[in-house]
Amino acid sequence: MDRHPPITNPHDEAAHSIPWLVNGTLHGEAATSLREHLAVCSRCRESYESEKRLYETMRAEGPLVFAGEPSFQKLMARIEIAERAPSMDPAYEALRGDRARSSPRRNPSRTAIAIRWLAAAVLIESAGLGLLAWHQHSPSLASPARYETLASPARTYGTNARARVVFRSNLSLHDLANVLHGVDAHIIDGPTDANVYTLGFDDQVSSPDQLEARLAALRAQSAVLFVEPASTHGAP
Amino acid sequence: MKATNSGDRRESTTAARNEIELALLARIAKRDAAAMKELYLLYHRRLARFLTRLTSRYDLAEEIINDTCWIVWQRAIDFRGESLVSTWILGITYRRALKTLRSIGPAAQEEIDVPDAASEQPCEQAELNEWLGVALARLPLEQRMVLELAYHLGHSCEEIAAIMDCPVNTVKTRMFHGRRKLRGLLLALASPA
């Protein structure tokens, strides 16, 4: 299909050039020569008029309006997550692969050392957390498992961590629950007239960085159209 | 002379826009999120329309836009200005869109018999209004891309060749066959069975 058809006469030449005259990108000698041909050839003129109708129909703006802001928030959340933990983003890995093929590696020995240090740090941290968990929970090992029922007392959540969120309008209850479980959040107020919900987070969210990480995770969800941190005072 | 003036005007507008976008890319290379947002919003509307028409799904369009802009964020530092910024960005979008569209595969479509003579006839406005979307969706992907890039986004033949990374003659040929097939499809779709 990509074989270029031989151009043997002015009509064929016109047939190949008309689209570029129609979209305003044919200039100079080629445009002048085509205009001269169109002035004397009714068949090509008819083809030009038909092409112009096609161009104008395709160019016409439809009724859809696309909001860039929520999509941009998702992009920034993705950038933030990828730059904190690059190996989690497959596109980042593909890009790293391209770069590795097209440019020499930088300081491989320094990278290897950093990875070893990181691995050692993770092992030490895991051992420390294990000890802490054993120390805190060992007296209750014999006690029955904890279940939450509808009659259980309500859990308490961090008093400072709040977010205002707008969910996609056709979100199912199941998907909403998944979003909330994914970031350990609960709806504490809303929806407002503008369908804004206020979310509270668990007690683990005690610093601005932790809150920002949860907000970033929310922004990365396709079910979430808008997220911003909220003050703990006042309405959502 | 009129044509030359309009050509000059287009070139100077394009050059001015490119200067603005180059300045934004330089800031993005330094990890300036505000510049990224400005560039993102400059492109979001036209890319969203272009990709929503191609994929018929806004979620896919958004995914392709964000893949594209994510690569722009990562590679702004490597951009040396060998092409217009818009050509570079559209080139990335084109490759991401091709990859996505090939991964989801073509939608099952009923075969339409297009008589040869039909593709020689001009299209009428009523056929265009009613059947254009359906007919475009039935074109081979590369032919459709050329038509969308030229007519929907207004790119020149040379710019499209750079975006699609192919010779200018290939673009002209895809356009020629794409228009021919589109005319045939529009007439066949508009004719009662």
Side-chain angles (χ1 to χ4, degrees), chain B:
Chain B
M1 279 298 105
K2 191 182 162 194
T4 309
N5 288 342
S6 77
D8 291 347
R9 229 179 6 255
R10 184 179 189 269
E11 270 179 28
S12 68
T13 310
T14 305
R17 200 176 66 191
N18 195 53
E19 282 304 309
I20 294 169
E21 293 176 1
L22 274 173
L24 288 174
L25 272 191
R27 286 168 54 200
I28 292 168
K30 293 176 185 162
R31 294 292 189 259
D32 182 337
M36 184 70 231
K37 183 172 184 179
E38 212 173 309
L39 190 75
Y40 188 95
L41 295 179
L42 268 179
Y43 276 84
H44 183 268
R45 184 186 165 95
R46 55 184 147 146
L47 290 185
R49 284 187 179 280
F50 169 59
L51 293 166
T52 307
R53 286 165 64 116
L54 275 181
T55 62
S56 310
R57 281 174 52 184
Y58 179 66
D59 61 327
L60 279 185
E62 187 187 52
E63 192 180 309
I64 298 166
I65 293 170
N66 280 7
D67 280 353
T68 300
C69 290
W70 194 86
I71 291 169
V72 168
W73 174 262
Q74 296 295 332
R75 292 208 165 154
I77 197 165
D78 300 326
F79 185 73
R80 295 285 173 266
E82 291 94 348
S83 68
L84 293 173
V85 174
S86 61
T87 307
W88 181 60
I89 293 177
L90 260 296
I92 300 169
T93 309
Y94 167 71
R95 287 188 291 280
R96 301 303 305 177
L98 268 192
K99 197 174 170 187
T100 304
L101 289 169
R102 284 179 177 149
S103 73
I104 59 174
Q109 287 173 337
E110 183 195 338
E111 271 299 308
I112 294 178
D113 189 25
V114 181
D116 259 5
S119 56
E120 298 299 332
Q121 293 178 35
C123 343
E124 297 303 324
Q125 190 62 51
E127 290 158 5
L128 284 174
N129 292 343
E130 192 164 356
W131 296 108
L132 182 60
V134 181
L136 281 169
R138 287 172 180 270
L139 289 182
L141 196 51
E142 277 82 3
Q143 291 175 11
R144 183 176 182 185
M145 286 280 198
V146 171
L147 264 160
E148 295 279 3
L149 288 166
Y151 284 1
H152 183 63
L153 294 182
H155 286 283
S156 70
C157 191
E158 293 72 19
E159 285 165 357
I160 296 173
I163 290 167
M164 297 178 93
D165 196 20
C166 68
V168 166
N169 269 351
T170 303
V171 175
K172 286 183 178 171
T173 308
R174 285 175 181 168
M175 180 57 121
F176 179 82
H177 288 298
R179 287 161 56 220
R180 195 181 159 87
K181 188 160 187 186
L182 187 71
R183 278 198 299 273
L185 281 165
L186 283 167
L187 288 168
L189 286 162
S191 310

